Amino acid sequence: MLFKWRAQKRRNEAIVDALYAAVTDWARQPKLYEDGGVPDTVMGRFEALAIAMYLFLRRCRDDARLAPLAQDVVDRFVTDMDHSLREIGIGYQAVPKRMRKLAGQFYERVSAYDAAMEAGEGARTALGDALAGRALGDDTPENVRLRLAGDMLAEAERLSSVPSDHILSGRLKEDVAR
C-alpha cells in the first residue's frame, strides 16, 4: 500500500513539474522581451511568469477536475518564487514579507487581466491598457502593448483547445499528428 502511495505521489509531482515547465517555457520566450516590451529584469521575468500562470489558471478554472492540479501548480509557482528570492540574496526573515507582496501583485494582475479578457471585441485594447503599469511601463507605446496583449489572447485561445485529459496527464499541447 505504501509503495502504491509513493508511486502515485511521484507521478503527481512529475505531472505538476511538467505543467509548470510548460508554463515557464512560455514565460521565457525571447519575443516577450524583445518584441513584447517586458523588461528583461528580475521583476520583468516575474511579470512574464505571472502572465503565463494567469493564462494557465484561466484555462483550468472552468473545469472542476483541474482545480486540485491547478492548485498544485500554483503551489509550485510559490515555491519557485520563494527559492528565487533566496537565491538573489533576500534575507531569510525578509522573504515572507516579499512573498506576501508578490502574491498581492500577482492577484491584482489576475483581477485586471481577467476584467480585460472579458471585454469581448475590445479585449485586446483593454488588455493592452491593463498591461501598462504592470508587466509594461506606463510609457510603453500602444503598438507594443497591443502586441503583448495579442500574444496573451493567442495563448489563451491555444490553451482553451488543449483537452482537460491532456492537462491531467501533464501536457499543455495538443496531440500532433503521428
Side-chain angles (χ1 to χ4, degrees):
M1 182 73 165
L2 181 61
F3 294 114
K4 260 178 116 171
W5 176 78
R6 284 185 181 165
Q8 182 63 35
K9 184 177 180 197
R10 277 194 302 274
R11 176 157 166 62
N12 289 346
E13 287 174 355
I15 289 169
V16 169
D17 287 346
L19 291 171
Y20 188 68
V23 168
T24 57
D25 284 350
W26 190 86
R28 291 178 177 156
Q29 295 177 88
K31 74 176 185 174
L32 295 176
Y33 304 94
E34 295 168 356
D35 302 331
V38 177
D40 192 6
T41 62
V42 171
M43 283 311 293
R45 290 181 181 260
F46 166 77
E47 295 291 352
L49 187 53
I51 289 169
M53 280 299 300
Y54 161 72
L55 294 171
F56 171 75
L57 293 174
R58 182 177 173 80
R59 165 59 184 92
C60 294
R61 75 175 172 197
D62 293 330
D63 188 334
R65 296 181 311 151
L66 297 177
L69 184 59
Q71 182 59 55
D72 288 344
V73 175
V74 168
D75 293 346
R76 177 72 170 78
F77 169 61
V78 169
T79 300
D80 189 36
M81 291 296 98
D82 183 272
H83 290 310
S84 295
L85 288 174
R86 292 174 196 279
E87 283 181 7
I88 62 172
I90 304 296
Y92 177 76
Q93 292 183 348
V95 168
K97 182 179 177 182
R98 294 283 178 103
M99 286 299 296
R100 280 190 297 279
K101 183 177 179 182
L102 287 175
Q105 288 176 333
F106 175 72
Y107 287 111
E108 185 272 333
R109 280 143 178 76
V110 166
S111 178
Y113 299 156
D114 232 12
M117 294 280 272
E118 299 300 325
E121 289 185 26
R124 187 170 181 225
T125 302
L127 195 52
D129 292 343
L131 288 164
R134 292 177 180 87
L136 304 174
D138 290 322
D139 59 345
T140 303
E142 183 178 21
N143 66 321
V144 175
R145 291 193 321 247
L146 292 176
R147 187 176 310 129
L148 182 55
D151 289 344
M152 288 175 67
L153 291 168
E155 180 65 1
E157 181 68 27
R158 186 194 71 75
L159 288 172
S160 72
S161 70
V162 177
S164 295
D165 290 337
H166 289 211
I167 296 171
L168 288 168
S169 66
R171 296 177 291 162
L172 279 184
K173 301 229 184 267
E174 309 86 29
D175 277 342
V176 247
R178 295 174 194 204

mmCIF file of all heavy atoms in Angstrom, residues 104-149:
data_model
loop_
_atom_site.group_PDB
_atom_site.id
_atom_site.type_symbol
_atom_site.label_atom_id
_atom_site.label_comp_id
_atom_site.label_asym_id
_atom_site.label_seq_id
_atom_site.Cartn_x
_atom_site.Cartn_y
_atom_site.Cartn_z
ATOM 1 N N GLY A 104 0.314 39.545 -3.574
ATOM 2 C CA GLY A 104 -0.634 40.633 -3.767
ATOM 3 C C GLY A 104 -0.569 41.195 -5.178
ATOM 4 O O GLY A 104 -1.603 41.450 -5.808
ATOM 5 N N GLN A 105 0.652 41.364 -5.690
ATOM 6 C CA GLN A 105 0.820 41.862 -7.054
ATOM 7 C C GLN A 105 0.241 40.870 -8.058
ATOM 8 O O GLN A 105 -0.423 41.260 -9.018
ATOM 9 C CB GLN A 105 2.298 42.098 -7.356
ATOM 10 C CG GLN A 105 2.877 43.281 -6.646
ATOM 11 C CD GLN A 105 4.375 43.426 -6.897
ATOM 12 O OE1 GLN A 105 5.075 42.450 -7.165
ATOM 13 N NE2 GLN A 105 4.857 44.650 -6.794
ATOM 14 N N PHE A 106 0.506 39.587 -7.831
ATOM 15 C CA PHE A 106 0.004 38.566 -8.753
ATOM 16 C C PHE A 106 -1.525 38.597 -8.812
ATOM 17 O O PHE A 106 -2.110 38.653 -9.894
ATOM 18 C CB PHE A 106 0.502 37.173 -8.340
ATOM 19 C CG PHE A 106 -0.082 36.072 -9.171
ATOM 20 C CD1 PHE A 106 0.319 35.893 -10.487
ATOM 21 C CD2 PHE A 106 -1.047 35.219 -8.653
ATOM 22 C CE1 PHE A 106 -0.225 34.885 -11.271
ATOM 23 C CE2 PHE A 106 -1.587 34.216 -9.420
ATOM 24 C CZ PHE A 106 -1.176 34.043 -10.730
ATOM 25 N N TYR A 107 -2.180 38.583 -7.662
ATOM 26 C CA TYR A 107 -3.638 38.545 -7.657
ATOM 27 C C TYR A 107 -4.262 39.851 -8.145
ATOM 28 O O TYR A 107 -5.343 39.838 -8.727
ATOM 29 C CB TYR A 107 -4.165 38.115 -6.290
ATOM 30 C CG TYR A 107 -3.922 36.638 -6.091
ATOM 31 C CD1 TYR A 107 -2.994 36.180 -5.166
ATOM 32 C CD2 TYR A 107 -4.578 35.694 -6.875
ATOM 33 C CE1 TYR A 107 -2.739 34.821 -5.016
ATOM 34 C CE2 TYR A 107 -4.326 34.341 -6.741
ATOM 35 C CZ TYR A 107 -3.413 33.905 -5.807
ATOM 36 O OH TYR A 107 -3.165 32.574 -5.682
ATOM 37 N N GLU A 108 -3.564 40.960 -7.977
ATOM 38 C CA GLU A 108 -4.039 42.221 -8.551
ATOM 39 C C GLU A 108 -3.990 42.135 -10.070
ATOM 40 O O GLU A 108 -4.907 42.581 -10.755
ATOM 41 C CB GLU A 108 -3.177 43.390 -8.033
ATOM 42 C CG GLU A 108 -3.659 44.753 -8.469
ATOM 43 C CD GLU A 108 -3.098 45.188 -9.815
ATOM 44 O OE1 GLU A 108 -2.003 44.743 -10.189
ATOM 45 O OE2 GLU A 108 -3.787 45.977 -10.509
ATOM 46 N N ARG A 109 -2.940 41.530 -10.607
ATOM 47 C CA ARG A 109 -2.813 41.365 -12.050
ATOM 48 C C ARG A 109 -3.879 40.409 -12.583
ATOM 49 O O ARG A 109 -4.479 40.654 -13.628
ATOM 50 C CB ARG A 109 -1.419 40.872 -12.417
ATOM 51 C CG ARG A 109 -0.429 42.039 -12.425
ATOM 52 C CD ARG A 109 0.934 41.644 -11.907
ATOM 53 N NE ARG A 109 1.876 42.737 -11.951
ATOM 54 C CZ ARG A 109 1.889 43.764 -11.093
ATOM 55 N NH1 ARG A 109 1.003 43.860 -10.143
ATOM 56 N NH2 ARG A 109 2.798 44.712 -11.195
ATOM 57 N N VAL A 110 -4.109 39.323 -11.869
ATOM 58 C CA VAL A 110 -5.150 38.381 -12.276
ATOM 59 C C VAL A 110 -6.480 39.105 -12.415
ATOM 60 O O VAL A 110 -7.195 38.939 -13.409
ATOM 61 C CB VAL A 110 -5.259 37.207 -11.269
ATOM 62 C CG1 VAL A 110 -6.544 36.414 -11.470
ATOM 63 C CG2 VAL A 110 -4.049 36.286 -11.389
ATOM 64 N N SER A 111 -6.812 39.932 -11.453
ATOM 65 C CA SER A 111 -8.064 40.680 -11.482
ATOM 66 C C SER A 111 -8.113 41.628 -12.683
ATOM 67 O O SER A 111 -9.116 41.693 -13.404
ATOM 68 C CB SER A 111 -8.218 41.455 -10.175
ATOM 69 O OG SER A 111 -9.387 42.216 -10.197
ATOM 70 N N ALA A 112 -7.037 42.358 -12.907
ATOM 71 C CA ALA A 112 -7.000 43.320 -14.017
ATOM 72 C C ALA A 112 -7.035 42.606 -15.369
ATOM 73 O O ALA A 112 -7.778 43.021 -16.276
ATOM 74 C CB ALA A 112 -5.743 44.184 -13.920
ATOM 75 N N TYR A 113 -6.251 41.547 -15.523
ATOM 76 C CA TYR A 113 -6.216 40.831 -16.800
ATOM 77 C C TYR A 113 -7.541 40.127 -17.068
ATOM 78 O O TYR A 113 -8.011 40.072 -18.205
ATOM 79 C CB TYR A 113 -5.073 39.821 -16.830
ATOM 80 C CG TYR A 113 -3.686 40.428 -16.679
ATOM 81 C CD1 TYR A 113 -2.631 39.683 -16.195
ATOM 82 C CD2 TYR A 113 -3.427 41.758 -17.006
ATOM 83 C CE1 TYR A 113 -1.356 40.221 -16.052
ATOM 84 C CE2 TYR A 113 -2.165 42.317 -16.859
ATOM 85 C CZ TYR A 113 -1.138 41.536 -16.380
ATOM 86 O OH TYR A 113 0.117 42.075 -16.236
ATOM 87 N N ASP A 114 -8.156 39.607 -16.017
ATOM 88 C CA ASP A 114 -9.439 38.925 -16.173
ATOM 89 C C ASP A 114 -10.507 39.889 -16.679
ATOM 90 O O ASP A 114 -11.262 39.565 -17.593
ATOM 91 C CB ASP A 114 -9.872 38.328 -14.831
ATOM 92 C CG ASP A 114 -10.224 36.870 -14.951
ATOM 93 O OD1 ASP A 114 -9.930 36.248 -15.983
ATOM 94 O OD2 ASP A 114 -10.805 36.348 -13.984
ATOM 95 N N ALA A 115 -10.574 41.055 -16.065
ATOM 96 C CA ALA A 115 -11.563 42.053 -16.492
ATOM 97 C C ALA A 115 -11.328 42.432 -17.953
ATOM 98 O O ALA A 115 -12.282 42.554 -18.731
ATOM 99 C CB ALA A 115 -11.491 43.284 -15.599
ATOM 100 N N ALA A 116 -10.076 42.580 -18.342
ATOM 101 C CA ALA A 116 -9.756 42.947 -19.723
ATOM 102 C C ALA A 116 -10.105 41.820 -20.692
ATOM 103 O O ALA A 116 -10.633 42.071 -21.783
ATOM 104 C CB ALA A 116 -8.277 43.299 -19.843
ATOM 105 N N MET A 117 -9.836 40.575 -20.307
ATOM 106 C CA MET A 117 -10.109 39.436 -21.198
ATOM 107 C C MET A 117 -11.610 39.252 -21.427
ATOM 108 O O MET A 117 -12.010 38.685 -22.431
ATOM 109 C CB MET A 117 -9.526 38.150 -20.616
ATOM 110 C CG MET A 117 -8.020 38.124 -20.538
ATOM 111 S SD MET A 117 -7.219 37.729 -22.075
ATOM 112 C CE MET A 117 -7.167 35.967 -21.995
ATOM 113 N N GLU A 118 -12.418 39.758 -20.512
ATOM 114 C CA GLU A 118 -13.868 39.630 -20.629
ATOM 115 C C GLU A 118 -14.490 40.778 -21.419
ATOM 116 O O GLU A 118 -15.710 40.867 -21.520
ATOM 117 C CB GLU A 118 -14.508 39.556 -19.231
ATOM 118 C CG GLU A 118 -14.048 38.372 -18.399
ATOM 119 C CD GLU A 118 -14.360 37.024 -19.033
ATOM 120 O OE1 GLU A 118 -15.410 36.901 -19.696
ATOM 121 O OE2 GLU A 118 -13.533 36.108 -18.878
ATOM 122 N N ALA A 119 -13.672 41.642 -22.002
ATOM 123 C CA ALA A 119 -14.171 42.838 -22.690
ATOM 124 C C ALA A 119 -14.702 42.566 -24.094
ATOM 125 O O ALA A 119 -14.974 43.511 -24.832
ATOM 126 C CB ALA A 119 -13.081 43.905 -22.733
ATOM 127 N N GLY A 120 -14.827 41.314 -24.476
ATOM 128 C CA GLY A 120 -15.380 40.983 -25.786
ATOM 129 C C GLY A 120 -14.463 41.424 -26.918
ATOM 130 O O GLY A 120 -13.267 41.153 -26.902
ATOM 131 N N GLU A 121 -15.049 42.149 -27.885
ATOM 132 C CA GLU A 121 -14.263 42.572 -29.044
ATOM 133 C C GLU A 121 -13.180 43.581 -28.683
ATOM 134 O O GLU A 121 -12.206 43.728 -29.402
ATOM 135 C CB GLU A 121 -15.185 43.153 -30.113
ATOM 136 C CG GLU A 121 -16.044 42.105 -30.789
ATOM 137 C CD GLU A 121 -16.854 42.680 -31.932
ATOM 138 O OE1 GLU A 121 -16.433 43.696 -32.530
ATOM 139 O OE2 GLU A 121 -17.901 42.099 -32.225
ATOM 140 N N GLY A 122 -13.331 44.264 -27.588
ATOM 141 C CA GLY A 122 -12.335 45.237 -27.155
ATOM 142 C C GLY A 122 -11.291 44.644 -26.222
ATOM 143 O O GLY A 122 -10.536 45.388 -25.589
ATOM 144 N N ALA A 123 -11.230 43.311 -26.145
ATOM 145 C CA ALA A 123 -10.325 42.651 -25.189
ATOM 146 C C ALA A 123 -8.864 43.002 -25.446
ATOM 147 O O ALA A 123 -8.117 43.233 -24.497
ATOM 148 C CB ALA A 123 -10.523 41.138 -25.222
ATOM 149 N N ARG A 124 -8.463 43.044 -26.695
ATOM 150 C CA ARG A 124 -7.051 43.315 -26.995
ATOM 151 C C ARG A 124 -6.646 44.701 -26.493
ATOM 152 O O ARG A 124 -5.601 44.868 -25.858
ATOM 153 C CB ARG A 124 -6.786 43.174 -28.487
ATOM 154 C CG ARG A 124 -5.335 43.268 -28.845
ATOM 155 C CD ARG A 124 -5.119 42.883 -30.294
ATOM 156 N NE ARG A 124 -3.720 42.951 -30.619
ATOM 157 C CZ ARG A 124 -3.251 43.498 -31.716
ATOM 158 N NH1 ARG A 124 -4.059 44.004 -32.623
ATOM 159 N NH2 ARG A 124 -1.960 43.516 -31.937
ATOM 160 N N THR A 125 -7.468 45.692 -26.759
ATOM 161 C CA THR A 125 -7.180 47.052 -26.305
ATOM 162 C C THR A 125 -7.236 47.137 -24.778
ATOM 163 O O THR A 125 -6.348 47.727 -24.151
ATOM 164 C CB THR A 125 -8.184 48.049 -26.932
ATOM 165 O OG1 THR A 125 -8.096 47.941 -28.354
ATOM 166 C CG2 THR A 125 -7.884 49.464 -26.504
ATOM 167 N N ALA A 126 -8.267 46.534 -24.182
ATOM 168 C CA ALA A 126 -8.403 46.562 -22.720
ATOM 169 C C ALA A 126 -7.230 45.845 -22.059
ATOM 170 O O ALA A 126 -6.704 46.309 -21.041
ATOM 171 C CB ALA A 126 -9.721 45.914 -22.306
ATOM 172 N N LEU A 127 -6.801 44.744 -22.652
ATOM 173 C CA LEU A 127 -5.665 44.005 -22.102
ATOM 174 C C LEU A 127 -4.382 44.818 -22.252
ATOM 175 O O LEU A 127 -3.556 44.863 -21.334
ATOM 176 C CB LEU A 127 -5.544 42.644 -22.793
ATOM 177 C CG LEU A 127 -4.681 41.596 -22.151
ATOM 178 C CD1 LEU A 127 -5.036 41.379 -20.691
ATOM 179 C CD2 LEU A 127 -4.814 40.280 -22.910
ATOM 180 N N GLY A 128 -4.220 45.478 -23.390
ATOM 181 C CA GLY A 128 -3.059 46.353 -23.580
ATOM 182 C C GLY A 128 -3.016 47.441 -22.523
ATOM 183 O O GLY A 128 -1.960 47.749 -21.966
ATOM 184 N N ASP A 129 -4.174 48.008 -22.209
ATOM 185 C CA ASP A 129 -4.251 49.031 -21.162
ATOM 186 C C ASP A 129 -3.949 48.439 -19.789
ATOM 187 O O ASP A 129 -3.289 49.074 -18.966
ATOM 188 C CB ASP A 129 -5.624 49.691 -21.154
ATOM 189 C CG ASP A 129 -5.883 50.534 -22.395
ATOM 190 O OD1 ASP A 129 -4.896 50.881 -23.102
ATOM 191 O OD2 ASP A 129 -7.059 50.827 -22.674
ATOM 192 N N ALA A 130 -4.427 47.212 -19.533
ATOM 193 C CA ALA A 130 -4.189 46.556 -18.238
ATOM 194 C C ALA A 130 -2.712 46.216 -18.056
ATOM 195 O O ALA A 130 -2.218 46.192 -16.926
ATOM 196 C CB ALA A 130 -5.037 45.298 -18.116
ATOM 197 N N LEU A 131 -2.014 45.965 -19.138
ATOM 198 C CA LEU A 131 -0.586 45.633 -19.059
ATOM 199 C C LEU A 131 0.263 46.853 -18.694
ATOM 200 O O LEU A 131 1.313 46.719 -18.069
ATOM 201 C CB LEU A 131 -0.105 45.044 -20.383
ATOM 202 C CG LEU A 131 -0.602 43.630 -20.682
ATOM 203 C CD1 LEU A 131 -0.411 43.293 -22.161
ATOM 204 C CD2 LEU A 131 0.099 42.619 -19.801
ATOM 205 N N ALA A 132 -0.203 48.036 -19.080
ATOM 206 C CA ALA A 132 0.543 49.266 -18.774
ATOM 207 C C ALA A 132 0.571 49.479 -17.266
ATOM 208 O O ALA A 132 -0.450 49.386 -16.593
ATOM 209 C CB ALA A 132 -0.107 50.461 -19.461
ATOM 210 N N GLY A 133 1.763 49.730 -16.754
ATOM 211 C CA GLY A 133 1.915 49.937 -15.320
ATOM 212 C C GLY A 133 2.032 48.643 -14.539
ATOM 213 O O GLY A 133 2.195 48.662 -13.328
ATOM 214 N N ARG A 134 1.934 47.531 -15.225
ATOM 215 C CA ARG A 134 2.093 46.227 -14.571
ATOM 216 C C ARG A 134 3.275 45.525 -15.248
ATOM 217 O O ARG A 134 4.403 45.736 -14.861
ATOM 218 C CB ARG A 134 0.793 45.431 -14.671
ATOM 219 C CG ARG A 134 -0.324 46.039 -13.835
ATOM 220 C CD ARG A 134 -1.637 45.293 -13.993
ATOM 221 N NE ARG A 134 -2.682 45.890 -13.175
ATOM 222 C CZ ARG A 134 -3.456 46.891 -13.584
ATOM 223 N NH1 ARG A 134 -3.315 47.407 -14.779
ATOM 224 N NH2 ARG A 134 -4.379 47.382 -12.776
ATOM 225 N N ALA A 135 2.975 44.699 -16.236
ATOM 226 C CA ALA A 135 4.052 43.999 -16.939
ATOM 227 C C ALA A 135 4.864 44.955 -17.800
ATOM 228 O O ALA A 135 6.035 44.713 -18.070
ATOM 229 C CB ALA A 135 3.481 42.876 -17.806
ATOM 230 N N LEU A 136 4.233 46.019 -18.230
ATOM 231 C CA LEU A 136 4.892 47.012 -19.089
ATOM 232 C C LEU A 136 4.877 48.360 -18.389
ATOM 233 O O LEU A 136 4.002 48.642 -17.570
ATOM 234 C CB LEU A 136 4.149 47.124 -20.422
ATOM 235 C CG LEU A 136 3.980 45.829 -21.207
ATOM 236 C CD1 LEU A 136 3.105 46.055 -22.427
ATOM 237 C CD2 LEU A 136 5.323 45.260 -21.607
ATOM 238 N N GLY A 137 5.822 49.192 -18.752
ATOM 239 C CA GLY A 137 5.860 50.537 -18.185
ATOM 240 C C GLY A 137 4.697 51.375 -18.672
ATOM 241 O O GLY A 137 4.095 51.091 -19.709
ATOM 242 N N ASP A 138 4.368 52.398 -17.919
ATOM 243 C CA ASP A 138 3.279 53.300 -18.306
ATOM 244 C C ASP A 138 3.546 53.980 -19.641
ATOM 245 O O ASP A 138 2.613 54.346 -20.352
ATOM 246 C CB ASP A 138 3.071 54.378 -17.233
ATOM 247 C CG ASP A 138 2.471 53.802 -15.964
ATOM 248 O OD1 ASP A 138 1.603 52.914 -16.060
ATOM 249 O OD2 ASP A 138 2.877 54.245 -14.870
ATOM 250 N N ASP A 139 4.812 54.155 -19.967
ATOM 251 C CA ASP A 139 5.181 54.861 -21.194
ATOM 252 C C ASP A 139 5.412 53.928 -22.380
ATOM 253 O O ASP A 139 5.877 54.358 -23.429
ATOM 254 C CB ASP A 139 6.425 55.709 -20.945
ATOM 255 C CG ASP A 139 7.614 54.883 -20.474
ATOM 256 O OD1 ASP A 139 7.419 53.714 -20.072
ATOM 257 O OD2 ASP A 139 8.742 55.409 -20.499
ATOM 258 N N THR A 140 5.066 52.656 -22.257
ATOM 259 C CA THR A 140 5.236 51.709 -23.354
ATOM 260 C C THR A 140 4.301 52.093 -24.495
ATOM 261 O O THR A 140 3.106 52.321 -24.269
ATOM 262 C CB THR A 140 4.914 50.268 -22.881
ATOM 263 O OG1 THR A 140 5.761 49.953 -21.780
ATOM 264 C CG2 THR A 140 5.126 49.262 -23.990
ATOM 265 N N PRO A 141 4.837 52.161 -25.718
ATOM 266 C CA PRO A 141 3.993 52.537 -26.862
ATOM 267 C C PRO A 141 2.809 51.575 -27.036
ATOM 268 O O PRO A 141 2.898 50.394 -26.722
ATOM 269 C CB PRO A 141 4.944 52.437 -28.060
ATOM 270 C CG PRO A 141 6.307 52.503 -27.483
ATOM 271 C CD PRO A 141 6.232 51.946 -26.105
ATOM 272 N N GLU A 142 1.725 52.120 -27.533
ATOM 273 C CA GLU A 142 0.495 51.332 -27.678
ATOM 274 C C GLU A 142 0.695 50.101 -28.557
ATOM 275 O O GLU A 142 0.180 49.031 -28.249
ATOM 276 C CB GLU A 142 -0.630 52.201 -28.248
ATOM 277 C CG GLU A 142 -1.934 51.432 -28.349
ATOM 278 C CD GLU A 142 -3.086 52.275 -28.857
ATOM 279 O OE1 GLU A 142 -2.836 53.319 -29.493
ATOM 280 O OE2 GLU A 142 -4.230 51.868 -28.613
ATOM 281 N N ASN A 143 1.462 50.227 -29.635
ATOM 282 C CA ASN A 143 1.650 49.074 -30.520
ATOM 283 C C ASN A 143 2.359 47.924 -29.809
ATOM 284 O O ASN A 143 2.062 46.752 -30.059
ATOM 285 C CB ASN A 143 2.389 49.469 -31.805
ATOM 286 C CG ASN A 143 3.815 49.909 -31.550
ATOM 287 O OD1 ASN A 143 4.110 50.592 -30.556
ATOM 288 N ND2 ASN A 143 4.709 49.539 -32.443
ATOM 289 N N VAL A 144 3.259 48.233 -28.884
ATOM 290 C CA VAL A 144 3.955 47.196 -28.116
ATOM 291 C C VAL A 144 2.985 46.557 -27.121
ATOM 292 O O VAL A 144 2.938 45.333 -26.973
ATOM 293 C CB VAL A 144 5.201 47.773 -27.403
ATOM 294 C CG1 VAL A 144 5.857 46.739 -26.506
ATOM 295 C CG2 VAL A 144 6.199 48.306 -28.425
ATOM 296 N N ARG A 145 2.187 47.387 -26.469
ATOM 297 C CA ARG A 145 1.180 46.851 -25.531
ATOM 298 C C ARG A 145 0.205 45.937 -26.261
ATOM 299 O O ARG A 145 -0.142 44.865 -25.771
ATOM 300 C CB ARG A 145 0.419 47.992 -24.841
ATOM 301 C CG ARG A 145 1.255 48.792 -23.879
ATOM 302 C CD ARG A 145 0.414 49.697 -22.997
ATOM 303 N NE ARG A 145 -0.710 50.323 -23.678
ATOM 304 C CZ ARG A 145 -0.818 51.627 -23.902
ATOM 305 N NH1 ARG A 145 0.115 52.453 -23.510
ATOM 306 N NH2 ARG A 145 -1.873 52.106 -24.506
ATOM 307 N N LEU A 146 -0.236 46.363 -27.439
ATOM 308 C CA LEU A 146 -1.190 45.560 -28.206
ATOM 309 C C LEU A 146 -0.559 44.266 -28.715
ATOM 310 O O LEU A 146 -1.241 43.248 -28.821
ATOM 311 C CB LEU A 146 -1.761 46.378 -29.367
ATOM 312 C CG LEU A 146 -2.659 47.538 -28.970
ATOM 313 C CD1 LEU A 146 -3.091 48.331 -30.196
ATOM 314 C CD2 LEU A 146 -3.861 47.063 -28.171
ATOM 315 N N ARG A 147 0.733 44.299 -29.005
ATOM 316 C CA ARG A 147 1.427 43.085 -29.445
ATOM 317 C C ARG A 147 1.443 42.052 -28.320
ATOM 318 O O ARG A 147 1.125 40.882 -28.535
ATOM 319 C CB ARG A 147 2.848 43.406 -29.906
ATOM 320 C CG ARG A 147 3.556 42.222 -30.535
ATOM 321 C CD ARG A 147 4.929 42.563 -31.072
ATOM 322 N NE ARG A 147 4.904 43.736 -31.919
ATOM 323 C CZ ARG A 147 5.724 44.797 -31.777
ATOM 324 N NH1 ARG A 147 6.626 44.822 -30.837
ATOM 325 N NH2 ARG A 147 5.630 45.827 -32.570
ATOM 326 N N LEU A 148 1.788 42.485 -27.111
ATOM 327 C CA LEU A 148 1.801 41.564 -25.973
ATOM 328 C C LEU A 148 0.381 41.091 -25.650
ATOM 329 O O LEU A 148 0.166 39.908 -25.366
ATOM 330 C CB LEU A 148 2.438 42.217 -24.746
ATOM 331 C CG LEU A 148 2.549 41.335 -23.495
ATOM 332 C CD1 LEU A 148 3.293 40.036 -23.798
ATOM 333 C CD2 LEU A 148 3.247 42.095 -22.379
ATOM 334 N N ALA A 149 -0.577 41.987 -25.727
ATOM 335 C CA ALA A 149 -1.970 41.589 -25.497
ATOM 336 C C ALA A 149 -2.401 40.551 -26.531
ATOM 337 O O ALA A 149 -3.075 39.567 -26.187
ATOM 338 C CB ALA A 149 -2.884 42.815 -25.557
#
